[in-house]
Amino acid sequence: MNPGLYIHVPFCLRKCPYCDFYSESDLTLKSAYLEALSREMDLVAEALQAPGEFDTVYFGGGTPSLLDPVEVEGVLNEARSRFFIAREAEVTLEVNPGTVTAEKLAGLRQAGVTRLNIGVQSLDEKTLKFLGRLHNAEQARDILSAARSCGFTNIGADLIYGVPGQGKGDVLSDVAALLSYDPEHLSCYMLTLEEGTPLYARHGKKAFSMPDDTVQGTLFETVSDALTQKGYLHYEVSNFARSQAHVSRHNTKYWEMVTTVGLGPSAHGFDLEGLFRWWNVAHLGEWMDCLKKGKRPIEGTETLGQGELMTEALYLGLRRMEGVNLAVFHRRFSVDLAKVLGACLSGFEEEGLMVVDADSIRLTRKGFAVADGVVLRLLQAL
Ligand code: SF4
């Protein structure tokens, strides 16, 4: 599989209270960031031994839609001048509906973006308010319509559910509202409390209570049923695609553990040849300082041994619809999973959490809802 290029755009107009991604709000640093980004491309291009043809570029953040179309075009041109980027590459840009207009979306398409991932999160005013989002429901609706009218044929939307007080009906109406825009892809995430965020602190002060495991399980199944009944593939625990052709090509690279190159503060990369992972410093100033000195802004690296690779292959494989192919796993690790995990797998089959056949082991929809727990128990038994 071809490698993928990730570009972290570390700016947000303001911080959402549930989010622990790295970002800064001082947009005057944008041009210095872009300058440093091209220096990082130089250093990475020099360091990489023939990484091959990149067939995905992903602008993530932060809020990549704070870049102007001309800046996005500039970054893509800089990347093309240093890396071999396929002509038909999937170029995704994450969009915060509070930061774009229809005109800007048209400009992004012109600049070479082929796929938008719109951070809608909800089309319900109360939910958006709880999440502290910059945009309101009307803005999100306008941007969903504008994305289509200006010619995007591959539109993804993010949805957050499991917000305190939300019931099945609320989640269903949010899903139905989103489906009226016919997105090609949906990423649906259960709200989680990340340590160190303002939402986590408010929860600690008992300002609200989170839905319990049973409610979360019901909501997970509600979302999955609603989307699969409309023909979407539930192809990964949190991801749905209108067809196989609309599965996120870029994210599949992480799940299949192929080479990905991450640029920008806090970005991660993985080198399949050397089986090591690296990550950049999560601080814009330090990242730029390193690059000024001609050094790559790498904070840490980790070389993966057989054990770690096996754990990841099992974890990432079981989070996907296809599951883990037994023959491929055996070829790679010389481990017969069906034999080693026999009793454990039968137990999960009896509970309706897993399907085990001659070719693969995979989670059922019920199993998807408790994927982390199932994988943990399998790893303990391995
Ligand atoms: S816009 Fe996205 S990256 Fe920025 S704070 Fe909100 S959730 Fe986090």
Side-chain angles (χ1 to χ4, degrees):
M1 196 186 258
N2 299 62
L5 186 64
Y6 174 81
I7 297 165
H8 190 82
V9 183
F11 300 101
C12 288
L13 284 184
R14 71 159 194 247
K15 203 79 199 155
C16 304
Y18 59 89
C19 173
D20 69 345
F21 289 133
Y22 172 66
S23 66
E24 296 282 344
S25 57
D26 182 359
L27 296 189
T28 62
L29 296 169
K30 225 169 39 155
S31 58
Y33 156 77
L34 290 169
E35 216 173 284
L37 190 63
S38 57
R39 275 200 210 119
E40 189 178 17
M41 287 188 201
D42 281 335
L43 297 175
V44 171
E46 229 175 84
L48 286 179
Q49 304 287 323
E53 186 183 45
F54 289 83
D55 66 353
T56 63
V57 179
Y58 193 102
F59 289 85
T63 308
S65 52
L66 284 172
L67 295 182
D68 297 326
V70 65
E71 293 170 326
V72 171
E73 191 174 12
V75 172
L76 286 172
N77 286 339
E78 299 263 359
R80 282 193 192 101
S81 70
R82 289 156 177 100
F83 307 109
F84 191 12
I85 307 226
R87 265 165 62 94
E88 299 302 316
E90 171 192 272
V91 180
T92 306
L93 187 130
E94 289 178 352
V95 168
N96 181 327
T99 62
V100 286
T101 57
E103 200 189 344
K104 188 167 179 177
L105 290 182
L108 289 170
R109 186 157 178 265
Q110 205 64 33
V113 175
T114 63
R115 179 174 183 267
L116 295 178
N117 201 66
I118 307 177
V120 176
Q121 318 308 356
S122 172
L123 286 169
D124 170 67
E125 225 53 87
K126 225 169 72 199
T127 305
L128 287 172
K129 217 163 177 180
F130 180 86
L131 294 173
R133 296 292 301 187
L134 194 65
H135 65 277
N136 58 31
E138 193 187 339
Q139 279 172 303
R141 287 175 198 278
D142 287 350
I143 291 313
L144 282 163
S145 304
R148 194 64 83 199
S149 341
C150 69
F152 279 101
T153 54
N154 199 351
I155 299 172
D158 288 348
L159 174 84
I160 293 182
Y161 64 100
V163 171
Q166 249 184 356
K168 218 168 140 170
D170 303 306
V171 172
L172 275 175
S173 74
D174 235 0
V175 170
L178 256 180
L179 285 185
S180 66
Y181 296 90
D182 216 9
E184 278 71 28
H185 191 273
L186 279 152
S187 297
C188 304
Y189 301 108
M190 184 85 67
L191 179 67
T192 48
L193 297 173
E194 304 295 344
E195 220 175 317
T197 60
L199 202 65
Y200 184 91
R202 279 182 54 212
H203 181 255
K205 289 182 189 150
K206 311 242 178 295
F208 60 88
S209 52
M210 289 293 282
D212 62 23
D213 289 353
T214 313
V215 175
Q216 287 189 345
T218 306
L219 296 182
F220 180 90
E221 290 188 12
T222 302
V223 170
S224 177
D225 283 346
L227 291 173
T228 49
Q229 277 160 18
K230 291 285 178 191
Y232 283 81
L233 295 174
H234 190 170
Y235 74 97
E236 197 269 349
V237 169
S238 308
N239 287 285
F240 299 81
R242 210 205 280 157
S243 75
Q244 196 60 41
H246 298 111
V247 162
S248 163
R249 257 155 72 183
H250 186 78
N251 286 342
T252 300
K253 295 185 192 300
Y254 298 117
W255 300 322
E256 295 202 349
M257 295 181 78
V258 296
T259 298
T260 47
V261 172
L263 303 170
S266 80
H268 284 55
F270 177 68
D271 183 319
L272 180 64
E273 293 303 314
L275 296 178
F276 71 91
R277 184 173 280 146
W278 75 90
W279 53 95
N280 280 348
V281 283
H283 188 278
L284 181 58
E286 285 177 34
W287 175 80
M288 291 196 295
D289 282 350
C290 266
L291 290 162
K292 258 186 219 144
K293 291 177 194 147
K295 281 197 331 204
R296 282 184 67 190
I298 295 179
E299 184 180 70
T301 60
E302 179 189 25
T303 302
L304 303 180
Q306 279 294 95
E308 284 124 348
L309 286 169
M310 203 158 70
T311 301
E312 298 221 2
L314 196 62
Y315 173 75
L316 295 169
L318 285 177
R319 289 180 62 86
R320 300 175 66 202
M321 184 174 73
E322 298 92 334
V324 177
N325 182 293
L326 296 171
V328 171
F329 197 90
H330 187 262
R331 249 196 324 273
R332 204 163 163 199
F333 302 110
S334 306
V335 172
D336 184 343
L337 273 183
K339 209 163 161 188
V340 179
L341 297 173
C344 208
L345 295 176
S346 313
F348 285 134
E349 254 192 314
E350 274 162 34
E351 287 177 63
L353 299 175
M354 197 170 241
V355 176
V356 182
D357 60 30
D359 299 325
S360 66
I361 56 171
R362 54 192 184 275
L363 293 176
T364 58
R365 204 274 313 276
K366 192 175 162 199
F368 264 180
V370 287
D372 288 352
V374 172
V375 175
L376 192 70
R377 276 163 61 193
L378 288 176
L379 290 175
Q380 283 161 351
L382 201 61

